[in-house]
C-alpha cells in the first residue's frame, strides 16, 4: 500500500531523486539501492523518485529500471511514495515504461519534457496526455528547459492540469514569475526541482521538494519546510542560508557525480558512474568536502 496522500501533497512533501547504486564492475546494485532507500526514508523523505536524471536513467536499461522499482518498493514502499521516472523523447517508449512501472507497483510517474527533438507545445500536450492515459497512476510533470531545450508554457500546464491523473509539476525552470502564474491558474501540486529555489518556491505556493541534496541534508530540508508551514519565516530563512554551501557545492558539476561522491565519503551505497558521467577529480573532491562541511554535513 502506498502511503496516504492528499490532493495538495499527492507524492508527499520531501522527496529525494535517488541515485542508482552500481557495483564496482558497473552492474546494478539492488542491495545497495534498498539500503540507500531505507536510509533516505529514515532521514525524513516521504517520497523517492527512482530512475530520474540523478538515477542515470539514460544509461539504465528498461529491465534494470523495473528491477530497481521493485527492489525499492520492497524496501520502503509501505513508508514512502515511490515515483518512477518514465520520461523519454519517444512517446511510445515512455508509454512502455509507464505501463511497466505500473506493473512493477510504482505509486506514481515522473515524466520529463521530451528532450533534444524540441517539440512544440501541442506536441508536449499530446505526449504528456498519452502517458497519463496509459495507466491509472498519478503523474508528475517535470519542466526543466535547461536540459530539454523546451519549457512547458503556462498555458500548456493549465491545459494539462485538467487531466484527472496529471496532478503535479516538478519545477526546474528557474522562473518564479511563471511558477506563480501557473500555481495560481491550476490545481497542480507544485514541487521545487531546483534546490537553491526550494524556499522561494514555497513562498509562491509550492508544496514540497524533489531534491538532489536530500541525499545528505534531508533533516534540514524537512525542518525548513516545517518552519515555513508554521509561519516561522526567520527560521526557514536561516536554514536556507545555512544550506547555501551545500546547494552550491552539489551542483558545481552534474548532480549525480557530486552526489555519488558525497555518498561514498559517507560510506553509503553509490558505486561508480556509467559513461558519459565521470568521477570527480581529486581537486573537485577536495572542494566538495569544503562545501559540505561549510553546510554542516558530516563526512
Amino acid at each position: 500500500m502506498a502511503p496516504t496522500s492528499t490532493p495538495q501533497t499527492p507524492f508527499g512533501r520531501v522527496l529525494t531523486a535517488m541515485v542508482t547504486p552500481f557495483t564496482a564492475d558497473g552492474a546494478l546494485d539492488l542491495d545497495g539501492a534498498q539500503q540507500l532507500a531505507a536510509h533516505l526514508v529514515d532521514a525524513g523523505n516521504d517520497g523517492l523518485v527512482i530512475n530520474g536524471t540523478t538515477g542515470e536513467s539514460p544509461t539504465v536499461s528498461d529491465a534494470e529500471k523495473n528491477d530497481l522499482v521493485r527492489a525499492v518498493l520492497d524496501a520502503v514502499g509501505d513508508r514512502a511514495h515511490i515515483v518512477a521516472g518514465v520520461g523519454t523523447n519517444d512517446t511510445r517508449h515512455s508509454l512502455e515504461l509507464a505501463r511497466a512501472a505500473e506493473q512493477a507497483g510504482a505509486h506514481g510517474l515522473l515524466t520529463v519534457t521530451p528532450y533534444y527533438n524540441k517539440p512544440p507545445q501541442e506536441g508536449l500536450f499530446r505526449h504528456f496526455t498519452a502517458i497519463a492515459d496509459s495507466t491509472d497512476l498519478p503523474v508528475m510533470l517535470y519542466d526543466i528547459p535547461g536540459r530539454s531545450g523546451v519549457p512547458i508554457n503556462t498555458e500548456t500546464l493549465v491545459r494539462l492540469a485538467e487531466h484527472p491523473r496529471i496532478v503535479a509539476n516538478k519545477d526546474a525552470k528557474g522562473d518564479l514569475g511563471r511558477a506563480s502564474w501557473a500555481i495560481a491558474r491550476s490545481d497542480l501540486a507544485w514541487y521545487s526541482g531546483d534546490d537553491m529555489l526550494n524556499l522561494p518556491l514555497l513562498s509562491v505556493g509550492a508544496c514540497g521538494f524533489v531534491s538532489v541534496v536530500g541525499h545528505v541534508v534531508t533533516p534540514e530540508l524537512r525542518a525548513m519546510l516545517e518552519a515555513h508551514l508554521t509561519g516561522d519565516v526567520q527560521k526557514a530563512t536561516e536554514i536556507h542560508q545555512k544550506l547555501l554551501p551545500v546547494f552550491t557545492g552539489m551542483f558545481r558539476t552534474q548532480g549525480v557525480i557530486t552526489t555519488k561522491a558525497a555518498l561514498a565519503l559517507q560510506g553509503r551505497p553509490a558505486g561508480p558512474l556509467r559513461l558519459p558521467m565521470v568521477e570527480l577529480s581529486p581537486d573537485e573532491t577536495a572542494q566538495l568536502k569544503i562545501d559540505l562541511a561549510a553546510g554542516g554535513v558530516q563526512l
Side-chain angles (χ1 to χ4, degrees), residues 210-282:
V210 178
S211 175
V212 173
V213 303
H215 284 91
V216 292
V217 292
T218 287
E220 291 83 355
L221 292 180
R222 182 158 287 282
M224 183 174 70
L225 174 68
E226 296 297 334
H228 174 82
L229 291 175
T230 58
D232 193 341
V233 176
Q234 180 176 347
K235 181 178 178 182
T237 303
E238 289 172 353
I239 296 171
H240 168 75
Q241 292 175 349
K242 175 188 174 184
L243 293 177
L244 289 175
V246 180
F247 297 154
T248 297
M250 291 286 279
F251 292 100
R252 289 186 186 275
T253 185
Q254 212 279 349
V256 64
I257 296 175
T258 48
T259 299
K260 283 198 164 182
L263 290 170
L265 290 170
Q266 293 183 324
R268 302 199 184 280
L273 298 127
R274 289 180 175 175
L275 285 171
M277 295 301 161
V278 294
E279 282 74 17
L280 291 181
S281 70

Side-chain angles (χ1 to χ4, degrees), residues 14 21 63 78 90 98 108 116 125 139 154 167 194 218 241-242 298:
V14 180
D78 59 337
D90 173 359
Y116 185 72
F125 178 79
V139 171
T154 301
V167 299
D194 183 344
T218 287
Q241 292 175 349
K242 175 188 174 184
Q298 298 295 315

Side-chain angles (χ1 to χ4, degrees), residues 89 113-125 127 148-151:
N89 61 351
T113 312
Y115 39 84
Y116 185 72
N117 43 16
K118 299 182 75 171
Q121 293 298 306
E122 183 62 25
L124 298 185
F125 178 79
H127 172 83
S148 68
V150 178

